[in-house]
């Protein structure tokens, strides 16, 4: 029962924040626009590229580490 109340409170707070965002945008005379497909794809490409570089460095480190232990 407690969890259900907390969940409803979170839903209401999200709805209130959405209304506040709309009020702010209206006051600033700007429109809320969804993220464009090209921008979304670009962000995903950067995220995947960063992840690939990190994993590549980890793999290189592991190779050097295991070559240095000599099967001990």
């Amino acid at each position: 029962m407690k969890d259900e109340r907390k969940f409803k409170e979170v839903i209401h707070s999200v709805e209130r924040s959405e209304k506040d965002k709309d009020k702010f945008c209206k006051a600033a005379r700007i429109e809320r626009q969804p993220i464009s497909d090209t921008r979304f794809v670009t962000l995903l490409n950067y995220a995947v590229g960063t992840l690939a570089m990190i994993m590549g460095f980890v793999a290189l480190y592991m190779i050097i580490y295991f070559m240095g232990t000599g099967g001990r």
Side-chain angles (χ1 to χ4, degrees), residues 37-50:
D37 290 341
T38 55
R39 178 173 253 178
F40 183 67
V41 169
T42 303
L43 288 172
L44 285 179
N45 283 337
Y46 278 116
V48 169
T50 302

Side-chain angles (χ1 to χ4, degrees), residues 6-22:
K6 286 182 182 180
F7 180 73
K8 287 182 180 181
E9 288 175 10
V10 169
I11 295 296
H12 288 299
S13 67
V14 168
E15 288 172 352
R16 276 185 264 141
S17 67
E18 286 294 314
K19 289 178 184 176
D20 290 343
K21 249 188 231 179
D22 290 333

Side-chain angles (χ1 to χ4, degrees), residues 47-70:
V48 169
T50 302
L51 183 64
M53 283 193 287
I54 291 170
M55 290 177 69
F57 287 128
V58 168
L60 181 64
Y61 178 80
M62 287 175 61
I63 290 170
I64 292 171
Y65 175 77
F66 287 123
M67 287 179 69
T69 58

